[in-house]
Amino acid sequence: MTSEYTEVFQDTEAVEKYETVTYAPDSYASRISTRQRDYLRGLVRREFPENPPVQHDFACGTGRVIRGLHGLVREAHGYDTSAEMMEKASEVGARAYWHHVASDGPVPNPVAAGFPAIVTIFRLLLNVDEAVRDRALAFAAKVLPHHGSGVLVVENHGNAGSVRHLRARRHDGERWFAELSHDQVEQLLARHGFEVVERRGFTMLTPSLHESRAARLADAAARRVPGSDAYAVNVLYTARRVHA
């Protein structure tokens, strides 16, 4: 997490806007979040049928991902550089232990809470530099030291292979948003000893199209097609440490 992130979200108005406007009911972001929550809950039930995991949510923000796994984890720990974001998380009902971390410096140490574990890193990778991405994945590797430790789920909310990228090409190649390709994400994970075991796309639409009912119906149909995750705007990657 960059110092800019920390500075922005020390402003309580910015935190409130993030929670109540960006993730307002039926907004573009909240619709994607609902689908992600359903996927995560299914993943936890499938991967940990008898022994609930401990959740470590890095860059936890207002606790949206933590709230999504309420009732399915043994305990949850949220880590963030913004105390204001974590305060808001508690206010809106996220149940976790909160850990304020520095925006730079050594890789933070996760709480020793046992195994199995699930590490979640959402809405971080896209808008930070490579050093911050590596720091986040190094944290995940500390939580998950070996293949049997649990799973990691990371979000890319700007896939470079999506329809959004094709629209940029129609504007003289001028890119007005950040992007990460599937290869870039997989290479980042591999540098820290992770391999992708599942990739799932959650929308083909850009924010400008999400109010169109016809577009939403087409999107729902497209997401059922095998391989469609390659072209999704928003993608989750589920990964495990490589076998030793």
Side-chain angles (χ1 to χ4, degrees):
M1 289 162 278
T2 65
S3 59
E4 289 84 359
Y5 169 91
T6 305
E7 290 168 3
V8 167
F9 288 110
Q10 284 178 350
D11 180 345
T12 55
E13 289 185 8
V15 172
E16 185 69 21
K17 180 179 178 181
Y18 182 82
E19 178 63 24
T20 61
V21 177
T22 302
Y23 282 95
D26 293 325
S27 68
Y28 176 77
S30 67
R31 286 172 178 161
I32 292 172
S33 181
T34 297
R35 295 172 199 148
Q36 292 176 334
R37 179 198 64 202
D38 292 344
Y39 169 77
L40 283 174
R41 292 184 72 82
L43 173 72
V44 169
R45 289 188 177 104
R46 184 174 72 246
E47 293 288 336
F48 311 102
E50 297 179 356
N51 189 8
V54 174
Q55 181 183 12
H56 298 264
D57 190 25
F58 194 74
C60 62
T62 59
R64 177 175 50 91
V65 180
I66 287 171
R67 280 175 273 159
L69 288 181
H70 277 173
L72 293 180
V73 298
R74 190 162 71 252
E75 61 186 72
H77 295 269
Y79 306 79
D80 206 281
T81 62
S82 169
E84 288 76 13
M85 290 288 263
M86 291 187 289
E87 182 178 345
K88 186 65 176 180
S90 291
E91 181 184 317
V92 298
R95 300 189 297 273
Y97 298 97
W98 308 109
H99 308 280
H100 189 251
V101 297
S103 59
D104 53 20
V107 176
N109 288 317
V111 173
F115 303 114
I118 178 170
V119 178
T120 46
I121 304 175
F122 280 54
R123 296 190 74 87
L124 175 68
L125 300 186
L126 190 64
N127 296 316
V128 296
D129 61 33
E130 199 72 8
V132 178
R133 292 173 190 150
D134 277 314
R135 190 167 181 262
L137 268 293
F139 171 86
K142 283 187 172 185
V143 178
L144 303 169
H146 54 79
H147 185 80
S149 302
V151 298
L152 165 67
V153 184
V154 299
E155 179 186 35
N156 173 10
H157 61 291
N159 169 29
S162 70
V163 173
R164 188 177 73 153
H165 176 82
L166 297 178
R167 288 185 63 206
R169 292 177 64 87
R170 295 208 305 271
H171 290 77
D172 299 322
E174 292 292 330
R175 191 179 70 168
W176 67 95
F177 45 73
E179 293 181 311
L180 280 174
S181 70
H182 294 312
D183 284 346
Q184 286 175 300
V185 175
E186 290 177 3
Q187 289 167 13
L188 171 65
L189 291 168
R191 280 204 302 273
H192 296 275
F194 289 96
E195 60 182 352
V196 175
V197 296
E198 186 174 9
R199 190 176 74 186
R200 181 70 61 90
F202 291 88
T203 188
M204 305 288 181
L205 301 181
T206 59
S208 62
L209 291 173
H210 89 280
E211 291 298 342
S212 165
R213 184 172 183 274
R216 292 201 307 271
L217 289 172
D219 181 50
R223 283 186 278 110
R224 296 189 184 98
V225 177
S228 63
D229 55 286
Y231 309 103
V233 174
N234 183 286
V235 183
L236 292 186
Y237 306 79
T238 299
R240 282 187 179 275
R241 291 299 294 272
V242 178
H243 281 286

